[in-house]
Amino acid sequence: MEQLRGTGVALVTPFKKDESIDWNAFERLIDHVITGGVDYVVPLGTTGETPTLSADEKLDLMKFTFEKVSKRVPVVVGIGDYNTRDVVKRLETCPLDQAIAVLSVAPYYSKPSQEGIFQHYKAIAAASPKPIILYNVPGRTGRNMSAQTTLRLAHEVPNIVAMKEASGDMVQCMQIIKDKPKDFLVISGDDALAMPQVAAGMDGLISVAANYFAKDVSGMIKAALGNDMPLARKLHYKLQEAFDLMFEENNPAGVKAFLHDAGIGENVFRLPVVPVSDGLKSRISAFSKNYK
């Protein structure tokens, strides 16, 4: 799992104006982030608008990613849901041979207890042919996965090898880092906090911003992991306004606005996600134009 140290990118799913998947734009995006230096890619996460994708589209995106990445970097596939049985079925039937791991979000909407979260992950880890990366993002799921639950899973379930932590709670993050098994990786899920979190002992970042700022985000994480904190801080503060703009209204609305300016994809979404407001779009365009 050393391949998970560094910068992963949660890929957006580009759409054409008719809201069908834009395969040419998706290929351009894959080439852009790999050229920019990311260490691995993560299709089919929340940033990829998976709640609005059909089962067939998810399968097609997975296969397309494997084909176009062509083993240049590792691929981690997002497979998560609030229906444990459905996740188990997908893990048992999806063609995951070319993936190195599965990123699985904590059950959302149902707001299960900590024991429910534990049993959910225990069940999917038992079914998965690939290692599982936990994903705690309470701002989306409605339920925080506590440090105690994370550590219990890390110590007791062999096929769970890492977690993406996006609670924004630095104390919780440090508790996990302090008490985790030696070979269990803790990965940031917050672009704006990733530099200090790596300084505290995290193993990298699964980034939204790296869809556009691949070179500087991956450079920031590489510097922080290499204890070159002056460079890591320089890149962090260079990117700080970009992080603020990107997440001001919605993810992935913010990052798709940036990518539209770069000519990588259309500024198109499937409802209920809509483009950022005209005012924010103007500020993003001005920032992009002057970013060096």
Side-chain angles (χ1 to χ4, degrees):
M1 288 299 97
E2 195 64 20
Q3 295 174 91
L4 294 172
R5 282 178 57 84
T7 302
V9 54
L11 295 169
V12 306
T13 301
F15 297 125
K16 297 179 182 178
K17 291 181 179 179
D18 65 1
E19 297 186 13
S20 63
I21 295 173
D22 188 336
W23 298 107
N24 290 331
F26 194 49
E27 184 174 3
R28 288 196 297 273
L29 177 63
I30 289 169
D31 290 340
H32 170 72
V33 299
I34 293 175
T35 301
V38 303
D39 297 291
Y40 57 98
V41 298
V42 188
L44 299 176
T46 311
T47 300
E49 296 177 71
T50 47
T52 67
L53 298 174
S54 70
D56 286 343
E57 286 174 325
K58 291 175 184 177
L59 188 59
D60 289 343
L61 276 162
M62 187 187 308
K63 292 177 179 178
F64 188 88
T65 303
F66 291 143
E67 178 187 347
K68 297 305 177 181
V69 169
S70 190
K71 300 183 179 180
R72 287 178 288 171
V73 296
V75 177
V76 173
V77 174
I79 300 178
D81 205 304
Y82 53 71
N83 183 338
T84 308
R85 288 185 177 184
D86 184 62
V87 179
V88 166
K89 181 178 179 181
R90 288 162 61 194
L91 288 168
E92 291 174 341
T93 58
C94 283
L96 294 170
D97 290 353
Q98 296 183 62
I100 64 163
V102 170
L103 176 68
S104 194
V105 68
Y108 48 90
Y109 187 75
S110 303
K111 298 181 74 173
S113 67
Q114 295 300 310
E115 182 63 24
I117 294 172
F118 176 86
Q119 294 298 336
H120 169 85
Y121 275 119
K122 184 178 178 181
I124 68 172
S128 178
K130 296 291 180 176
I132 295 291
I133 304 171
L134 310 172
Y135 181 15
N136 183 38
V137 56
R140 288 190 179 272
T141 64
R143 178 74 77 197
N144 179 53
M145 181 162 58
S146 70
Q148 291 76 16
T149 299
T150 299
L151 292 167
R152 185 182 171 199
L153 287 163
H155 283 282
E156 296 182 20
V157 184
N159 202 33
I160 291 176
V161 299
M163 86 166 308
K164 178 183 177 183
E165 233 297 344
S167 68
D169 185 335
M170 286 293 289
V171 174
Q172 175 168 296
C173 293
M174 290 186 288
Q175 185 178 351
I176 295 166
I177 293 166
K178 174 177 174 288
D179 294 330
K180 71 180 183 68
K182 183 178 180 181
D183 57 353
F184 182 84
L185 302 182
V186 184
I187 302 163
S188 174
D190 285 304
D191 283 278
L193 295 178
M195 186 276 291
Q197 287 175 330
V198 172
M202 284 197 181
D203 297 285
L205 165 68
I206 295 178
S207 172
V208 173
N211 279 280
Y212 182 86
F213 299 97
K215 181 179 179 181
D216 282 347
V217 172
S218 57
M220 176 184 73
I221 297 302
K222 183 177 181 180
L225 287 170
N227 290 317
D228 185 352
M229 296 315 297
L231 177 57
R233 284 193 294 269
K234 178 181 178 181
L235 290 170
H236 167 79
Y237 288 115
K238 179 183 179 184
L239 289 160
Q240 187 175 37
E241 184 179 352
F243 297 152
D244 291 342
L245 290 168
M246 195 167 287
F247 298 103
E248 183 173 315
E249 291 184 1
N250 173 270
N251 174 48
V255 66
K256 276 195 172 180
F258 275 98
L259 291 170
H260 182 248
D261 284 345
I264 292 175
E266 297 286 350
N267 194 30
V268 175
F269 306 83
R270 291 178 178 176
L271 288 171
V273 179
V274 297
V276 297
S277 63
D278 290 344
L280 178 55
K281 183 65 168 68
S282 295
R283 288 156 54 208
I284 286 172
S285 294
F287 182 88
S288 300
K289 184 177 180 180
N290 295 314
Y291 189 85
K292 295 179 182 179

